[in-house]
Amino acid sequence: MSISGTDTAPARTGPAPAPDPLLVVRDLRVRFTRDGVPVHAVNGLSYSVAPGRTLAVIGESGSGKSVSSRALLGLLPESARITGSATFDGTELIGMPEREMRGRRGSDIAMVFQDPARSLNPTMRIGNQITEAVRVHADVDARVARERAVELLTLVRLPAPERRFFEYPHQLSGGMRQRVMIAIALAGQPRLLIADEATTALDVTTQAQIMELLAELQQRLGTAVVMISHDLGLAASYADDVLVMYAGRAVEYAPAPTLFGAVRMPYTAALLGAIPLLDRPSHTLLPVIPGQPPDLRALPEGCPFRPRCASSDDQCLTEPPLTEHEPGHRWACWHPEPGPGTDREEDRR
Ligand code: SF4
């Protein structure tokens, strides 16, 4: 991989043998204790991501999507109890000593957060912040680090990078600041980028530009991306694979074309129904998912989506496991949405 992106990743043009996964998460569990009550924020999460692929982890606030990714990088408070396994290129991350983890953050795995205004140092020129990031990961002198910083600003398509190098964060728009954060994340040439609601604070146009940039960089650098979002629409546009989380669990997991070809879990269907559509008649109310996300300290018996689900019945008092019901398509539901060519009654039989 090179910062200038001259090495090209193979284009996704046709069926090719799937590369070995770079990140493999198995039965990840994160538990906090709040007011003496255990809170199971992540409950048996498993997934994998291969180089050059984008996995979208989708869910509402409190679904465990951000907690699970922070657990991989050792970014949770010490009070968090983390079990299970997460291997990066075969090396176990869970339980890795902080000193070793610090060496991997940024160089193996980098993270881009939602709010660049809070992540950037407001009193430091952006060029110096990127130069500093380059020197954390590479033993180079100030001149070389500065050249790489300008290269990175060019790579993330910041307009007039030589001039912007000397500007402060407050002189940039929100979209430009997020480009700077991506440049900092790429300074260590990571093989895995975790984008945690990285475009949520941006307007729709800038959001699309940043997502296009991430997709383009991924093609050029072969980076694996875990995109954490509440927005199933973004997953439809940019993800190769989609994992939907609810109450700390994976409730549907499939390659994006499979999942969007036939959503099976009622919660995923509800999320999909809540996406604003351009062809929706004006002045019609946007459908919302009824009820509230669950309180993790007091989950309902059985399926955690039961209080909000129109399809629930007594069988749902037992929690459904995440099961591969069709090739590559896993869901956790006793009464899934109808698949292609079936109706709900057939599915129930
Ligand atoms: S298991 Fe039951 S309550 Fe849960 S999503 Fe499926 S139908 Fe709804």
Side-chain angles (χ1 to χ4, degrees):
M1 187 199 301
S2 74
I3 282 181
S4 58
T6 48
D7 300 345
T8 50
R12 291 178 212 148
T13 49
D20 287 340
L22 187 61
L23 175 69
V24 179
V25 176
R26 287 284 168 261
D27 198 27
L28 182 69
R29 291 167 194 269
V30 181
R31 196 185 75 188
F32 298 99
T33 302
R34 229 172 264 156
D35 303 328
V37 180
V39 176
H40 298 272
V42 180
N43 215 330
L45 187 66
S46 299
Y47 63 78
S48 60
V49 196
R53 304 272 298 181
T54 294
L55 169 73
V57 179
I58 302 294
E60 292 169 290
S61 169
S63 62
K65 57 190 192 304
S66 292
V67 170
S68 58
S69 58
R70 282 163 202 246
L72 306 182
L73 285 174
L75 293 175
L76 292 177
E78 279 185 11
S79 58
R81 184 167 150 62
I82 306 168
T83 59
S85 166
T87 54
F88 178 85
D89 204 11
T91 302
E92 183 61 63
L93 299 174
I94 304 301
M96 180 179 278
E98 171 58 21
R99 189 184 163 82
E100 196 181 333
M101 180 62 86
R102 222 179 293 140
R104 293 193 170 253
R105 274 188 223 122
S107 55
D108 281 339
I109 309 174
M111 213 159 167
V112 180
F113 296 98
Q114 177 176 343
D115 188 355
R118 276 168 53 184
S119 305
L120 289 167
N121 182 341
T123 64
M124 200 171 166
R125 296 178 202 276
I126 59 158
N128 290 343
Q129 297 189 51
I130 302 172
T131 303
E132 207 170 70
V134 169
R135 296 191 79 178
V136 165
H137 299 293
D139 185 16
V140 293
D141 64 28
R143 185 186 57 79
V144 172
R146 186 183 174 285
E147 283 170 7
R148 284 202 193 163
V150 174
E151 265 181 49
L152 283 163
L153 287 176
T154 307
L155 185 69
V156 298
R157 300 200 187 293
L158 192 77
E162 301 268 4
R163 177 165 61 79
R164 299 279 184 198
F165 185 94
F166 296 101
E167 293 189 344
Y168 291 91
H170 75 269
Q171 294 175 280
L172 307 182
S173 67
M176 287 182 190
R177 284 197 289 262
Q178 198 55 295
R179 285 173 195 267
V180 171
M181 288 310 301
I182 294 170
I184 289 174
L186 294 177
Q189 304 184 41
R191 288 189 286 159
L192 173 68
L193 189 66
I194 300 177
D196 188 355
E197 299 278 11
T199 61
T200 301
L202 305 174
D203 64 75
V204 177
T205 307
T206 312
Q207 185 178 66
Q209 288 169 352
I210 295 292
M211 289 310 302
E212 293 293 341
L213 171 69
L214 284 175
E216 183 198 320
L217 292 174
Q218 183 183 43
Q219 287 288 303
R220 291 173 68 178
L221 306 176
T223 318
V225 174
V226 175
M227 179 179 111
I228 296 165
S229 177
H230 64 283
D231 186 344
L232 204 54
L234 275 188
S237 301
Y238 297 102
D240 297 298
D241 301 286
V242 181
L243 184 147
V244 180
M245 288 189 74
Y246 190 81
R249 297 136 169 84
V251 294
E252 189 156 10
Y253 181 27
T258 305
L259 185 133
F260 291 108
V263 162
R264 306 307 297 273
M265 168 70 190
Y267 174 62
T268 314
L271 280 180
L272 204 55
I275 295 174
L277 297 174
L278 284 177
D279 58 1
R280 201 184 297 279
S282 56
H283 305 300
T284 53
L285 289 175
L286 193 63
V288 291
I289 305 174
Q292 297 293 322
D295 179 349
L296 294 176
R297 289 169 301 183
L299 285 176
E301 186 183 352
C303 173
F305 190 54
R306 190 169 54 83
R308 306 170 78 183
C309 181
S311 304
S312 69
D313 65 9
D314 286 352
Q315 191 179 8
C316 307
L317 289 167
T318 304
E319 185 174 351
L322 183 76
T323 304
E324 186 169 3
H325 294 277
E326 292 168 1
H329 196 166
R330 297 172 170 80
W331 63 80
C333 178
W334 298 123
H335 309 304
E337 299 291 306
T342 62
D343 61 29
R344 180 170 289 281
E345 286 313 306
E346 279 177 45
D347 268 17
R348 278 177 183 260
R349 281 197 284 271

